Amino acid sequence: MEIRIDDLSGPQVARLIGEHLQGMAEHSPPESVHALGLERLKQPDVTFWSVWDGEELLGCGALKELDPGHGEIKSMRTASAHLRKGVAVRLMSHILEEAANRGYRRLSLETGSMEAFAPARKLYAAHGFEECGPFGDYAEDPYSIFMTRIL
């Protein structure tokens, strides 16, 4: 697996982000979808990584800087054909290492509260994330679970 910073210009990445947004829309009401589209993922406060095996896209994830000591994980997605192959675990380790290298003291995320998001919540908990209240610009939402980890 090769993890690389991605400029989001390739068609495979665009399709995976589209799949990600569609999945969020299928399981959450519109006001509770907090996933970022391609243009927002290209902003300077976001670093986006793609995960590859040769020419095959395995997954993606992003790290958004909320402030100099606090980052947020965004757009974690494994391509459907590569679920349960360790892609998300490898990418999570990469993002945690990058957050520590940046000097972040805290890393947070928002994910869905519905059953469809249970595998994601399990992944985050296995990496030391615990439930918390809303952070940044988020508000309480019955469709969201907020998690954080001190680094």
Side-chain angles (χ1 to χ4, degrees):
M1 272 184 242
E2 178 191 356
I3 298 174
R4 56 185 175 219
I5 291 177
D6 198 298
D7 66 4
L8 296 116
S9 63
Q12 289 183 72
V13 170
R15 280 193 299 275
L16 186 58
I17 293 299
E19 179 183 315
H20 181 61
L21 292 170
Q22 181 179 355
M24 301 302 103
E26 287 174 7
H27 298 287
S28 303
E31 66 275 9
S32 297
V33 174
H34 303 290
L36 302 178
L38 284 173
E39 289 310 310
R40 184 60 188 94
L41 286 167
K42 293 178 182 179
Q43 297 304 306
D45 61 342
V46 177
T47 304
F48 182 87
W49 292 277
S50 54
V51 184
W52 299 86
D53 182 6
E55 296 299 313
E56 190 167 3
L57 179 61
L58 307 179
C60 64
L63 180 58
K64 177 182 176 186
E65 183 168 299
L66 299 175
D67 66 49
H70 189 188
E72 179 184 4
I73 295 175
K74 301 293 293 182
S75 302
M76 285 282 292
R77 184 71 174 203
T78 300
S80 299
H82 298 287
L83 292 171
R84 314 225 191 317
K85 294 181 180 178
V87 175
V89 169
R90 176 74 177 88
L91 185 56
M92 178 60 70
S93 296
H94 181 83
I95 291 173
L96 287 167
E97 182 179 322
E98 177 64 22
N101 289 341
R102 291 181 182 188
Y104 292 166
R105 294 180 307 281
R106 182 174 164 205
L107 195 56
S108 301
L109 61 93
E110 178 275 339
T111 190
S113 62
M114 293 71 69
E115 186 58 30
F117 298 95
R121 293 190 306 268
K122 183 178 178 182
L123 169 76
Y124 301 137
H127 283 86
F129 287 84
E130 298 178 346
E131 287 190 35
C132 64
F135 58 91
D137 295 332
Y138 291 106
E140 282 292 343
D141 182 339
Y143 297 98
S144 290
I145 291 180
F146 304 99
M147 302 179 82
T148 196
R149 175 186 160 158
I150 302 301
L151 299 176

